[in-house]
Amino acid sequence: MPKLIFRIFKLVFILFFGLSLLGVIGYRFINPPFTWLMIERGFQRKSDGKDWKIDKKWKDFDDISDNMKRAAVAAEDQTFLEHHGFDFNAIEKAIEKNSHSKKLIGGSTISQQVAKNVFLWEGRSLLRKGIEAYFTVLIETFWSKKRIMEVYLNEIEMGDGIYGVEAASQAYFHKSASDLTRQEAAAIAVIFPSPLKWSATNPTKYLKHRQYLIMKNMRRLGPLDF
C-alpha cells in the first residue's frame, strides 16, 4: 500500500509539472481565452439573478497606451523591470503592516498577480500561495517582461464582468486603451486592488489622492525598457 500511494503521488506530481509547464509555455504564444476568476464571477452573477457577462477585448502590447503601462508599474510594482518575480522588500513590509492591522495588504508583484489571475483560483491558503510562487518562477523563466505586462493588462479584473484595460477603457472613458491619457490611465490603475467596489469615473476622496500619487510616481519612473 505505501508503494502504491507513492506511485500515485509521483504520477500526480509528474502530471502537474508537465501540464503546468505546457500551459506556461503555450501562453507565451497563445493569448489566454479566460481565467478561473472570470468563470467564478460569471456564476456569481447568475446566482445573483444577473446575466452572464465577461466583457474582455484583447489588446496587443504595442497598441496599449504607454500611459497605461506606466500607471500599472507606478501603482502596483515599481521594481517590475528589475526583480525576478518577487519583491522581497515589499513582502517584508506587507508582513510587518499586516501584523499590526486587521486590514490585510498584499506585497505581490505584477508577475505574482499574473500567475494568480491566469493559472489559479481565488484564496489565501498557504497551498495556493505556494503554487502561485511556482507559477511565478515559471512565467519569469519562460516569458519576457513585455509578455507578462501584456497578459496582466488584458486579464486583470476591472469591474463587474469587465476584464482587461481595453474593456475598462471602453466602459469608463468610451475610448480605446491606446488613447488613454495619463490621468485616465491613473484613474484605471487606482481601482486595480478592488475593482468591484471602486470606480474609475466616480472616485472617492481616497481614490483621488491615490490617483495623484500614481501620477506623481509615473513622472518619477525612468524609461520603461520592455
Side-chain angles (χ1 to χ4, degrees):
M1 183 63 77
K3 287 185 178 181
L4 178 61
I5 294 174
F6 176 76
R7 286 178 180 175
I8 293 173
F9 178 79
K10 184 178 178 181
L11 180 62
V12 170
F13 176 80
I14 293 173
L15 189 63
F16 170 75
F17 179 76
L19 290 175
S20 60
L21 193 60
L22 182 64
V24 169
I25 294 175
Y27 279 164
R28 177 181 176 180
F29 308 100
I30 302 169
N31 299 331
F34 63 88
T35 66
W36 295 115
L37 178 63
M38 294 177 190
I39 303 301
E40 181 182 344
R41 293 285 193 253
F43 280 113
Q44 288 174 357
R45 283 180 60 87
K46 292 293 287 185
S47 67
D48 292 337
K50 301 178 182 178
D51 293 334
W52 183 277
K53 179 184 177 183
I54 297 180
D55 185 2
K56 176 176 176 287
K57 301 176 181 69
W58 187 272
K59 198 76 169 174
D60 290 340
F61 181 87
D62 292 334
D63 294 328
I64 299 173
S65 167
D66 286 340
N67 288 320
M68 190 66 251
K69 299 162 193 171
R70 294 181 71 83
V73 172
E76 294 293 296
D77 187 358
Q78 294 180 40
T79 61
F80 173 65
L81 291 174
E82 288 128 40
H83 65 61
H84 298 288
F86 306 94
D87 184 341
F88 294 104
N89 288 331
I91 293 172
E92 185 178 348
K93 288 179 182 177
I95 293 173
E96 175 65 21
K97 288 184 178 179
N98 291 339
S99 66
H100 300 291
S101 173
K102 292 182 180 180
K103 184 178 180 181
L104 299 181
I105 65 168
S108 295
T109 62
I110 285 175
S111 302
Q112 288 175 275
Q113 292 180 53
V114 169
K116 178 190 71 174
N117 292 342
V118 176
F119 297 102
L120 300 175
W121 62 95
E122 284 290 287
R124 290 182 174 273
S125 69
L126 288 177
L127 173 64
R128 198 201 62 79
K129 291 298 290 184
I131 299 176
E132 176 190 299
Y134 164 72
F135 274 104
T136 300
V137 171
L138 286 185
I139 66 174
E140 281 280 343
T141 301
F142 292 101
W143 295 6
S144 64
K145 289 290 188 178
K146 178 178 178 179
R147 180 57 174 171
I148 293 173
M149 178 60 74
E150 181 179 46
V151 173
Y152 176 72
L153 291 177
N154 276 285
E155 301 295 335
I156 189 169
E157 186 177 30
M158 289 304 307
D160 188 10
I162 301 172
Y163 302 91
V165 294
E166 176 63 17
S169 182
Q170 296 287 354
Y172 293 121
F173 299 110
H174 311 293
K175 61 167 62 176
S176 172
S178 61
D179 299 323
L180 287 169
T181 66
R182 190 163 58 93
Q183 187 172 3
E184 290 165 344
I188 289 177
V190 82
I191 69 170
F192 281 178
S194 191
L196 297 183
K197 294 181 181 178
W198 296 340
S199 169
T201 52
N202 187 27
T204 62
K205 185 176 180 181
Y206 167 75
L207 292 183
K208 288 180 180 178
H209 178 64
R210 286 282 301 145
Q211 182 185 10
Y212 162 76
L213 293 178
I214 290 171
M215 293 176 67
K216 191 174 180 180
N217 288 333
M218 288 170 69
R219 287 191 294 269
R220 288 177 176 174
L221 288 175
L224 297 183
D225 186 12
F226 288 97

